[in-house]
Amino acid sequence: MNKQVNLVRFADDFIITGNSKEVLEEEVKPLVIEFLQPRGLELSEEKTRITHIEEGLDFLGQHARKYNGKLLITPSKKNVKTFLADIRKVIKGNKQATAYWLIATLNPKIRGWANYHRHVAAKKTFVHVDTAIFKALWRWARRRHPKKGKQWVKDRYFGRFGDQNWRFYGMAKGKDGKTIPNWLCQASATPIRHHPKIKGDCNPYDLAWELYLEERLGVKMEKTMQGRRKLLYLWKEQGGICPVCS
């Protein structure tokens, strides 16, 4: 009988899947415990649990769950809560900082978090996060100027960026004396790029799959800055001419 046991591991975190709860409880879990004991390791009772995929599970900051037979992966609620707590801590801890400096501190955090989740169904979560950050920044701006009206605060810290009218920004003078604006980036501006699954029967050692793998690699390279630089370098080296067909 095929018990469909599979292992997914990253560092010391792992998921083991099987076709039934009994297989995981009676066969897989004892085997894992037996494997870890001679190595001085043991399963965390707090983190270890057996659950059905339709109930969902959290792994590496993301939540995987099947809805009516369709697998959907989203940023986990705990991950979002932790991220927003960190953002609010930075905002509250910089009450006297300039808007420009505050944005310079927040932008890498927002970009890094959004880029981590850009391969899953995260669009709605990104919008939720942007709204929560906006509210925190609005409170920050209002606290700085308690005697000023809402319109004054809006004009001072929130401007029009493209087709958006409430983007948080700050100004600073550059070395040449010119004023430089710094705009807060938005998680929702990060494009969602779903990872294309590789075909199950693909064999990298079979020449029949060579074209498929090359096309897959080309698409993957086009979507990253490093990959695009590599393609541009190759194009220049070859003078824009294919070395095979000229």
Side-chain angles (χ1 to χ4, degrees):
M1 179 182 175
N2 183 7
K3 297 175 183 178
Q4 299 175 337
V5 175
N6 293 285
L7 168 69
V8 180
R9 181 181 70 87
F10 182 85
D12 60 344
D13 291 323
F14 61 88
I15 296 173
I16 300 178
T17 61
N19 65 353
S20 70
K21 184 178 180 180
E22 290 71 25
V23 167
L24 295 173
E25 278 186 341
E26 299 170 9
E27 297 186 47
V28 175
K29 188 175 180 181
L31 190 63
V32 172
I33 293 173
E34 183 183 343
F35 174 81
L36 292 175
Q37 277 181 345
R39 293 161 176 82
L41 303 171
E42 60 182 20
L43 286 176
S44 169
E45 290 299 326
E46 182 184 346
K47 293 182 179 180
T48 304
R49 68 189 187 99
I50 298 174
T51 182
H52 197 280
I53 190 61
E54 290 184 356
E55 294 177 11
L57 58 96
D58 289 350
F59 184 58
L60 302 179
Q62 295 178 342
H63 183 75
R65 184 178 176 183
K66 270 192 175 182
Y67 297 86
N68 298 321
K70 183 179 181 181
L71 179 65
L72 191 66
I73 303 176
T74 59
S76 70
K77 290 181 180 179
K78 183 180 178 182
N79 179 268
V80 174
K81 185 177 179 180
T82 302
F83 171 70
L84 287 177
D86 179 48
I87 293 294
R88 291 186 182 109
K89 182 180 178 181
V90 171
I91 294 172
K92 288 180 180 178
N94 290 278
K95 296 177 182 178
Q96 303 304 320
T98 64
Y100 188 98
W101 190 91
L102 181 60
I103 291 168
T105 306
L106 293 176
N107 276 354
K109 292 178 177 289
I110 297 170
R111 286 197 189 99
W113 180 83
N115 282 330
Y116 177 78
H117 292 291
R118 73 188 187 276
H119 296 299
V120 300
K123 200 66 180 176
K124 287 184 179 180
T125 306
F126 285 174
V127 172
H128 164 71
V129 163
D130 286 339
T131 302
I133 294 174
F134 167 80
K135 289 179 179 178
L137 289 170
W138 176 251
R139 289 192 294 269
W140 175 88
R142 291 279 287 159
R143 279 196 299 265
R144 285 172 69 90
H145 307 281
K147 296 181 180 180
K148 297 292 184 180
K150 292 181 180 180
Q151 187 61 44
W152 187 94
V153 173
K154 189 263 183 189
D155 294 339
R156 175 72 181 270
Y157 294 105
F158 298 87
R160 189 170 188 83
F161 187 84
D163 59 349
Q164 296 175 321
N165 195 33
W166 280 82
R167 282 290 289 274
F168 186 69
Y169 77 101
M171 307 291 284
K173 284 189 177 181
K175 293 180 180 179
D176 55 0
K178 292 183 179 179
T179 304
I180 305 170
N182 194 15
W183 297 85
L184 182 78
C185 72
Q186 291 188 317
S188 57
T190 304
I192 301 296
R193 300 188 184 278
H194 294 295
H195 177 72
K197 285 185 178 181
I198 193 166
K199 293 182 179 179
D201 52 349
C202 176
N203 184 351
Y205 302 103
D206 187 347
L207 291 177
W209 289 95
E210 186 175 10
L211 183 60
Y212 166 76
L213 290 170
E214 285 182 357
E215 289 176 350
R216 182 181 170 85
L217 179 61
V219 170
K220 186 177 180 181
M221 290 176 72
E222 285 177 9
K223 291 181 179 179
T224 63
M225 186 67 73
Q226 184 179 1
R228 287 195 293 270
R229 281 199 297 263
K230 199 169 191 178
L231 289 173
L232 180 61
Y233 171 78
L234 290 171
W235 181 77
K236 287 182 176 179
E237 280 288 299
Q238 298 169 3
I241 298 172
C242 175
V244 178
C245 65
S246 298

